[in-house]
């Protein structure tokens, strides 16, 4: 069983924050305070704990008990697609309001472990025929990088991140859009498959 100290560290790691970064966001001068919380030396008081939970995108109940009122959820990191473009690295959003929570048992049913899953925000309508609309979010398993034709992936293309369908034709791989109404606007893009796959998409959600 984990304790509050381990859960603070786990939630901080999930956000990709250093101890110093978390301290800065909390308005704490010494990052060693965070270190003490995580090694069991001290623990934050209730008001401070609420601030910690808000910044890390989890609930107070999760930090205290390892669960929240809706069950056992895991925080999923959101890719900052604009910051990632052209860097060759995955950059995560600092917007705690966009930290997503998913049930661990649901992720397990999808053969996905929380630490391997990222959320990718969709910009544009190139995949509407797959019901992936502008402003939607897809979940991506970063361990599933084996290319499979006709499956959906997040890919590096022309120094940007996209969600596309992989298609193999005559031994070549193409990133294929799924918008029949605008097919001329979204032609297939031939890609070198090596190092292009971020992960396979397995879920999509959007607001109404």
């Amino acid at each position: 069983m984990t304790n509050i100290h381990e859960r603070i560290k786990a939630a901080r790691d999930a956000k990709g924050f250093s101890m110093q970064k978390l301290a800065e966001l909390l308005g704490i001068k010494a990052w060693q305070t965070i270190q003490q919380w995580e090694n069991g030396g001290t623990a934050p008081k209730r008001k401070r704990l609420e601030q910690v939970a808000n910044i890390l995108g989890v609930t107070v109940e999760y930090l205290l008990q390892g669960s929240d009122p809706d069950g056992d959820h895991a925080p999923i990191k959101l890719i900052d697609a604009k910051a990632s473009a052209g860097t060759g690295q995955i950059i995560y959003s600092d917007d705690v309001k966009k930290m997503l929570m998913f049930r661990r048992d649901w992720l397990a049913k999808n053969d996905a472990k929380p630490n391997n899953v990222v959320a990718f925000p969709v910009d544009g309508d190139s995949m509407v025929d797959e019901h992936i609309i502008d402003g939607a979010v897809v979940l991506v398993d970063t361990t599933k990088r084996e290319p499979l034709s006709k499956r959906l992936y997040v890919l590096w293309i022309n120094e940007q991140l996209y969600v596309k369908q992989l298609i193999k034709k005559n031994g070549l791989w193409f990133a294929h859009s799924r918008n029949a109404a605008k097919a001329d606007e979204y032609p297939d893009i031939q890609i070198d498959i090596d190092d292009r796959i971020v992960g396979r998409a397995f879920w999509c959600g959007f607001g109404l």
Side-chain angles (χ1 to χ4, degrees), residues 9-23:
K9 183 180 187 306
R12 177 177 64 78
D13 287 343
K15 286 290 290 183
F17 291 161
S18 65
M19 291 184 188
Q20 184 172 352
K21 175 68 173 179
L22 179 56

Side-chain angles (χ1 to χ4, degrees), residues 4 10 19 48 66 78 136 148 151 158-159 174 180 183 195:
I4 183 173
M19 291 184 188
R48 178 68 78 183
L78 187 77
L148 298 174
R151 299 298 294 269
N158 298 329
E159 298 187 338
F174 295 85
D195 300 325

Side-chain angles (χ1 to χ4, degrees), residues 29 49 58 82 87-88 104 143 162 175 184 188:
K29 293 182 178 180
L49 191 64
V58 298
K82 293 181 179 178
T87 68
R104 294 181 187 276
T143 64
Y162 295 92
D184 291 342
D188 289 352

